[in-house]
Amino acid sequence: MNIGIIGAGNIGGNLTRRFQELGHKVFVANSRGPETLADLAAETGATPVTVEEAARSGEVVIVTIPQKNIPGLPRDLFAGVPDNVVVVDTGNYYPQQRDGRIAGIEDGMVESRWVSQQLGRPVVKAFNNIYAEHLLKLGRPSGTPGRIALPVAGDDERAKSVVLKLVDELGFDAVDAGKLDDSWRQQPGTPVYAADFDAEGVRRALASASKERKPEWRAKSDKAAQTN
Ligand SMILES: NC(=O)c1ccc[n+]([C@@H]2O[C@H](COP(=O)([O-])OP(=O)(O)OC[C@H]3O[C@@H](n4cnc5c(N)ncnc54)[C@H](OP(=O)(O)O)[C@@H]3O)[C@@H](O)[C@H]2O)c1
C-alpha cells in the first residue's frame, strides 16, 4: 500500500519505520522540507516529499503533527484528493505543555472532530493512545497472549476497516471504538490512554471513560494558541 505521512517526529518517524519494514511504500513529509528527511529516508527507504505531495501519494494519509500546528497546514491540503483516500489523525490536545488554548476543543468538541473540521475531511482516529517507542517495539504476532490493543474510531466503516487492518499488521489487536464523536473515550486523561491494555482491557477502559475533561487537560489561560 502507498502511505503518506505528514509529520516525521516520534510517531511519524516510527510509523515510517514499521510500514516500510512491512513492505508498504511510505511518502513522508515534515515542516522543513524533504531535504531535511535524508537520514530517515536512508534508514528506511521511505520517500521524502512535501506536505502537499504526502497528501496526494497514499491510499492512506496519516496526519501526525502537534495539534496547534494543524491550522497552519496548507489551505485546501486535501482538495482534489479522492474521497476513498483514508485520512488518519494520531493527534492529542496538550494545552498546558504544547498546544496552548484551542477554543473549539475547550468548548467541548471532540479532538479529532476539530482536526477533521480543520482539514475539511473525515478522519479516522488511531495511534493516539500509545507511546511512539511502544508503537515501534511492542508489536507482536496475532494470537500472542497479552498482545497490546489499540482503539480505532471513525464514521466511515470502510475507512475504519482499512485502519483496523493496518493496526493488526503493525502487531496490535485493533478494537473498533465506534464513531468519531465517541473518540473522546481515547483522548488524553482517559483510562485507555498510554495504558497498553489488551483487547479486553481496551474495551473495558473505553466503556468506563468519563466525558468530562480533567483540569490538567484544559488550557490554563484564555489566550488562543499560536499557529505556525
Ligand atoms: N510522542 C508520542 O509518543 C505520541 C503518542 C501518540 C500520539 N502522539 C500525538 O501525535 C502527534 C505527533 O506527535 P509526535 O510526538 O510525533 O510529534 P513530534 O515528535 O514533535 O513531531 C512533529 C512532526 O510534525 C512535523 N510538523 C509540525 N508542523 C508541521 C506542519 N505544519 N507541516 C508539516 N509537518 C509539520 C514536524 O516537522 P519539523 O520537525 O520539520 O518541524 C515533525 O516532523 C501529536 O498530536 C501527539 O500528541 C504522540
Side-chain angles (χ1 to χ4, degrees):
M1 185 182 275
N2 287 348
I3 299 177
I5 301 186
I6 297 174
N10 297 302
I11 291 285
N14 284 348
L15 284 176
T16 299
R17 293 181 175 92
R18 291 291 293 122
F19 282 134
Q20 282 285 135
E21 277 170 10
L22 290 166
H24 296 294
K25 196 160 171 34
V26 174
F27 299 83
V28 61
N30 64 4
S31 77
R32 288 165 293 149
E35 63 285 356
T36 65
L37 290 169
D39 287 351
L40 184 64
E43 177 196 338
T44 63
T47 307
V49 292
T50 64
V51 169
E52 289 85 350
E53 287 166 338
R56 282 161 180 73
S57 50
E59 296 143 79
V60 172
V61 177
I62 300 173
V63 179
T64 181
I65 71 174
Q67 205 90 330
K68 69 180 167 67
N69 294 5
I70 293 277
L73 287 170
R75 282 171 69 87
D76 300 329
L77 180 58
F78 288 100
V81 173
D83 286 347
N84 63 358
V85 168
V86 178
V87 179
V88 179
D89 167 36
T90 78
N92 293 306
Y93 176 48
Y94 272 69
Q96 297 184 18
Q97 297 93 330
R98 185 190 63 201
D99 295 323
R101 183 173 205 279
I102 296 178
I105 297 174
E106 292 289 335
D107 290 346
M109 197 179 296
V110 169
E111 294 173 16
S112 285
R113 179 65 67 196
W114 179 84
V115 171
S116 173
Q117 278 195 356
Q118 297 293 315
L119 298 178
R121 288 286 295 219
V123 301
V124 174
K125 188 180 191 77
F127 308 118
N128 77 296
N129 76 314
I130 182 166
Y131 289 116
E133 199 189 347
H134 293 190
L135 191 56
L136 181 68
K137 296 183 178 162
L138 297 186
R140 297 289 180 266
S142 180
T144 304
R147 192 188 197 213
I148 294 171
L150 302 181
V152 177
D155 295 335
D156 180 316
E157 294 303 322
R158 188 202 66 88
K160 192 160 54 177
S161 72
V162 170
V163 180
L164 289 165
K165 183 165 177 302
L166 286 175
V167 167
D168 182 59
E169 275 186 47
L170 288 166
F172 303 92
D173 280 351
V175 172
D176 186 334
K179 303 285 189 192
L180 201 66
D181 284 337
D182 299 319
S183 67
W184 57 267
R185 294 180 182 277
Q186 68 194 71
Q187 287 178 180
T190 60
V192 81
Y193 192 70
D196 288 350
F197 290 135
D198 66 6
E200 190 43 44
V202 165
R203 286 192 195 94
R204 256 201 310 268
L206 292 171
S208 70
S210 153
K211 194 165 188 183
E212 195 183 350
R213 185 173 284 278
K214 295 183 181 135
E216 59 269 36
W217 297 104
R218 301 201 76 106
K220 278 186 171 155
S221 83
D222 290 340
K223 194 166 165 281
Q226 301 289 317
T227 57
N228 57 12

